[in-house]
Amino acid sequence: MASSLYLCNQNLNYPLSHGRKSSYLCKNTSLSAFWGHGYCKFSQHLRTVSFQRTPFVKAMASNSKSDRQQVEITYDPDERLNKLADEIDKTAGLSRLTLFSPCKINVFLRITRKREDGFHELASLFHVISLGDTIKFSLSPSKSKDRLSTNVPGVPLDDSNLIIKALNLYRKKTGSDNFFWIHLDKKVPTGAGLGGGSSNAATALWAANQFNSCAASEKELQEWSSEIGSDIPFFFSRGVAYCTGKGEVVKDIPPPIPLDMSMVLIKPPQACSTVEVYKRLRLDQTSTVDPVTLLEKISKSGISQDVCINDLEPPAFEVLPSLKRLKQRVLAAGRGQYDAVFMSGSGSTIVGIGSPDPPQFVYDDDDYQDVFLSEACFLTRGENQWYTEPGTTMSSLESPSDLSSTID
C-alpha cells in the first residue's frame, strides 16, 4: 500500500483497521510523541525551533485474524515543520543570547611618555586569546533595571561592573529601553592584566546591539566604549591590533603570529594594582626600542624574547617581588621550551609562548599550589561575528535567524 503523509494534531483520529474495532494512531496525543530520538525545542513566543532531523517515523498495524489486512503510515516531519521553523526564525525577535568573552595579552607593551591629562601614552601589540568567560543575556520584563549574577565571589554586581556600565552606555547612546538578566560564567582571573573586565564590557555592547536589531555600527560601538575603559575598544578589532594613545586608538593588522601557536598562562593568587604599578613607573628606565620596529620584527621573524618587551614589568615587580621570581623561574626551568616569557599588561599573569605546558616546579613547589594555570592559543573573529570559543559552535551573527546556535 502506498505511504501517505499526515501532519498529526492533538485531535486527529485515524482508524488503522477496516470495519472492526479501531485502534488510533494519534488520539489525544501531542506532536512530541512522534519525535523518537529527535527533539523539538521551543523558546518564548516560539521564537526558535531546533530539530535533530529524523528521516521518518513509521507506524504499522495489522488485523489479528488476517495479516494480509494491513495499513502503513509514514510520518515525515522534515518537509513541512522545518520550513515552518525557518519562517518563525526569520520573523521573530531575539530574547536570549549566549556569547564568548575572550581575554587578551600584550605581546609587547611600550610606555612612551606621560600625557598632559595625567595618563601615559602606550604603544602595544594586543592579541585576543582563547581563554575567556561565557555571558548569557536574557531580555528582562523590567524596563528599569538589569540583573547580574555570576559563578564566582567578589565580582561586583551593581553599576560599578563594566557589563552594567556598557549596557547603560548603550541605552544612553541609542535610546533603547531593553534591560537584561545577565549571568557571567567567569573563567578569566581578575587583576591578571588580561583585560577580562574590558572584554565583558565589549561583549555586553555587542549583545545589546544584537537585541536592538544592530542599530549601531561596530565603529560606533568601538568609539562609545572608550568612554568607560581604554582597553575596551580593542575587542572591536578583528582580534589583533596595534594600539596607541591610552589604548583606545586601535589599528587592525593582519595576524603576525600563527594562530595555533600555544601558550601557558601562570597567575599567582596575588593581583597587581594598576594604579600602584603606574605610580612606580620611571620613564627614564623604560625601553628605548621603537615599538614600530618591534611590530615589524614580529611580523617578519615571529615571537622571541627580545621583542616581548613590557615596560610595566619593573614597576610591577616592585609591587609584587614574588612575580619577578616567578618569571625568572619559568625562564630557567623552560630550558628553551618557550619562545618568550613575559608579563601581560600590568600583571600579574606570566605568559610562556611556545608550549601549553607549565614548568614542573609549578606542580612540585608548595609556593605555587594556588596559582592559576591555563593553556591558550591566539584567536581572531570574522566580519560581523563575535568571538567563538575554540571547539564550540557558539557565535553571533547579524540577523536573529542566524542566531540559533547561540540561543538557549
Side-chain angles (χ1 to χ4, degrees):
M1 179 178 181
S3 297
S4 303
L5 172 63
Y6 291 90
L7 180 61
C8 301
N9 62 29
Q10 186 172 359
N11 298 312
L12 176 64
N13 299 329
Y14 187 85
L16 296 186
S17 60
H18 302 279
R20 302 180 185 275
K21 187 175 181 181
S22 299
S23 299
Y24 294 94
L25 177 63
C26 301
K27 185 174 182 180
N28 296 324
T29 303
S30 66
L31 186 61
S32 62
F34 292 94
W35 289 116
H37 297 294
Y39 70 92
C40 175
K41 180 171 68 173
F42 291 84
S43 64
Q44 188 178 9
H45 305 305
L46 293 177
R47 178 182 47 76
T48 298
V49 182
S50 301
F51 297 121
Q52 292 180 352
R53 303 191 180 200
T54 55
F56 58 81
V57 177
K58 182 180 292 186
M60 296 185 65
S62 64
N63 188 307
S64 59
K65 293 183 178 180
S66 175
D67 289 339
R68 291 178 299 175
Q69 296 185 13
Q70 293 182 340
V71 62
E72 177 182 310
I73 292 179
T74 299
Y75 173 68
D76 182 355
D78 284 359
E79 181 67 21
R80 295 180 64 179
L81 289 187
N82 284 304
K83 285 184 178 180
L84 175 62
D86 290 342
E87 290 303 315
I88 292 173
D89 280 347
K90 289 178 182 177
T91 59
L94 187 62
S95 66
R96 285 179 289 179
L97 180 61
T98 299
L99 292 174
F100 182 56
S101 179
C103 63
K104 59 82 181 172
I105 62 170
N106 301 86
V107 179
F108 66 79
L109 176 56
R110 286 289 336 279
I111 307 297
T112 56
R113 68 181 181 92
K114 189 168 184 179
R115 299 154 45 120
E116 293 181 0
D117 60 9
F119 291 96
H120 288 82
E121 189 85 11
L122 63 82
S124 179
L125 174 57
F126 281 61
H127 209 310
V128 168
I129 62 173
S130 58
L131 172 66
D133 305 326
T134 300
I135 312 179
K136 296 181 179 181
F137 299 88
S138 298
L139 276 179
S140 170
S142 167
K143 294 298 181 180
S144 61
K145 189 176 182 179
D146 298 303
R147 187 180 72 186
L148 175 63
S149 62
T150 185
N151 63 319
V152 296
V155 175
L157 303 177
D158 56 14
D159 289 354
S160 65
N161 189 289
L162 282 172
I163 293 175
I164 305 299
K165 286 185 177 182
L167 296 175
N168 286 334
L169 176 67
Y170 186 83
R171 286 186 286 262
K172 175 185 174 182
K173 295 293 187 180
T174 65
S176 169
D177 62 354
N178 287 333
F179 286 81
F180 301 92
W181 292 343
I182 312 106
H183 181 73
L184 171 63
D185 185 2
K186 196 74 180 163
K187 295 180 182 177
V188 179
T190 58
L194 299 174
S198 296
S199 173
N200 293 167
T203 305
L205 282 172
W206 174 275
N209 201 41
Q210 299 300 305
F211 282 96
N212 202 33
S213 301
C214 297
S217 67
E218 282 193 36
K219 187 66 175 177
E220 288 175 316
L221 296 177
Q222 187 177 56
E223 292 173 352
W224 298 344
S225 69
S226 65
E227 298 182 19
I228 54 176
S230 299
D231 285 352
I232 303 173
F234 158 69
F235 289 96
F236 290 101
S237 71
R238 293 292 173 261
V240 53
Y242 180 62
C243 299
T244 54
K246 294 183 294 182
E248 83 286 3
V249 181
V250 179
K251 180 180 179 181
D252 279 278
I253 62 173
I257 309 165
L259 295 181
D260 60 355
M261 178 171 284
S262 58
M263 70 187 76
V264 63
L265 310 176
I266 308 172
K267 183 203 173 294
Q270 301 85 1
C272 276
S273 165
T274 301
V275 173
E276 291 300 317
V277 170
Y278 273 100
K279 279 183 180 179
R280 289 168 170 77
L281 175 66
R282 292 182 289 277
L283 290 173
D284 60 344
Q285 297 183 9
T286 60
S287 173
T288 59
V289 179
D290 185 344
V292 175
T293 300
L294 294 175
L295 185 60
E296 291 173 349
K297 189 170 183 179
I298 291 172
S299 299
K300 182 179 179 180
S301 305
I303 293 289
S304 59
Q305 190 65 45
D306 63 318
V307 297
C308 294
I309 295 169
N310 186 342
D311 285 336
L312 295 182
E313 279 190 5
F317 293 163
E318 287 185 22
V319 174
L320 198 60
S322 60
L323 191 60
K324 181 178 182 179
R325 292 195 296 272
L326 174 59
K327 179 187 175 183
Q328 291 173 336
R329 292 196 65 177
V330 174
L331 278 167
R335 299 175 184 172
Q337 178 180 358
Y338 307 109
D339 298 319
V341 177
F342 55 91
M343 184 184 79
S344 179
S346 59
S348 57
T349 299
I350 298 298
V351 182
I353 290 195
S355 171
D357 301 319
Q360 187 62 38
F361 76 85
V362 174
Y363 299 109
D364 297 339
D365 196 323
D366 289 342
D367 291 340
Y368 299 102
Q369 62 180 350
D370 294 325
V371 301
F372 171 87
L373 295 173
S374 178
E375 64 179 69
C377 61
F378 292 106
L379 193 66
T380 58
R381 69 183 179 100
E383 186 176 0
N384 297 320
Q385 296 181 354
W386 199 240
Y387 299 96
T388 302
E389 184 175 13
T392 72
T393 58
M394 188 185 302
S395 63
S396 176
L397 303 176
E398 284 190 293
S399 64
S401 62
D402 289 326
L403 289 165
S404 60
S405 64
T406 69
I407 298 169
D408 293 340

